[in-house]
Amino acid sequence: QKEVEQNSGPLSVPEGAIASLNCTYSDRGSQSFFWYRQYSGKSPELIMSIYSNGDKEDGRFTAQLNKASQYVSLLIRDSQPSDSATYLCAVKGVDSNYQLIWGAGTKLIIKP
Amino acid sequence: NAGVTQTPKFQVLKTGQSMTLQCAQDMNHNSMYWYRQDPGMGLRLIYYSASEGTTDKGEVPNGYNVSRLNKREFSLRLESAAPSQTSVYFCASSESVNTEAFFGQGTRLTVV
């Protein structure tokens, strides 16, 4: 059973601080890694995709991938109250027939 | 550019009734997906269509059928609704099975 694990939270972070969200996965053959943001009652929205080891930055968001440790993380700098949402990690690879394997999500709360 | 459009947004069914959820995308994507999301369980794949003319079962296909009507449209049918099918249903599409998925706004279905 291929799995993606996330801490369910809630993770509470002060406004302006760095929020760090973590995700581990079990399938060593995984090739593509995604972070989605989901506001309550809304659909998942893609934030970042990362395909190779290292860091990828997009504005206030940085995704970090370490395939050897089977670990992917999302950093949110200068956190804003509007960042309060559930963050979903998703992984796909050959062994999952390229279907997304989803974590259950981490609820992030940014406190003003 | 509408992206992925699902209808209806809300639906209440009685046990045993049937219904079809409609999904259309205008991004010229090849792959389309149907997910359900239940509290605490994350997103689970019901069926997917890697390309026009193909459909495959996902993690939880029982009680559902799908039709890839053309490249744009992918419908999900519940033949005999059960209370266990009460959930939020999301349609998604991607350029290919290797790339990131984009989601519709969701259908909140209640079976009583």
Side-chain angles (χ1 to χ4, degrees), chain A residues 19-66:
Chain A
S20 178
L21 301 161
N22 303 314
C23 172
T24 59
Y25 58 94
S26 63
D27 180 12
R28 286 197 169 274
S30 298
Q31 299 176 341
S32 307
F33 307 85
F34 307 94
W35 282 101
Y36 286 80
R37 176 176 63 198
Q38 187 174 26
Y39 293 113
S40 180
K42 301 296 185 182
S43 59
E45 173 192 11
L46 179 71
I47 299 176
M48 296 278 286
S49 56
I50 186 167
Y51 302 95
S52 55
N53 276 331
D55 295 359
K56 179 181 178 182
E57 186 175 319
D58 183 0
R60 295 187 297 113
F61 298 96
T62 299
Q64 299 175 317
L65 174 61
N66 184 325

Side-chain angles (χ1 to χ4, degrees), chain B residues 53-71:
Chain B
T54 69
T55 60
D56 286 287
K57 295 179 180 179
E59 182 184 355
V60 289
N62 291 344
Y64 305 95
N65 285 301
V66 291
S67 296
R68 183 75 183 266
L69 304 170
N70 49 54
K71 190 172 185 179

Side-chain angles (χ1 to χ4, degrees), chain B residues 22 31 48 70 100-101:
Chain B
Q22 306 287 352
S31 304
Y48 68 100
N70 49 54
E100 59 269 21

Side-chain angles (χ1 to χ4, degrees), chain A residues 1 31-32 34 36 38 41-46 49 51 88 92 97-100 102-104, chain B residues 33 35 37 40-43 45 48 59 90 96-106 108:
Chain A
Q1 180 77 8
Q31 299 176 341
S32 307
F34 307 94
Y36 286 80
Q38 187 174 26
K42 301 296 185 182
S43 59
E45 173 192 11
L46 179 71
S49 56
Y51 302 95
L88 304 172
K92 68 165 69 176
N97 199 25
Y98 293 104
Q99 296 315 305
L100 284 166
W102 293 85
Chain B
Y33 314 84
Y35 289 92
Q37 186 175 39
M41 298 192 72
L43 286 155
L45 183 65
Y48 68 100
E59 182 184 355
F90 289 105
S96 76
V97 291
N98 296 326
T99 58
E100 59 269 21
F102 297 89
F103 284 77
Q105 72 271 43
R108 188 172 296 273

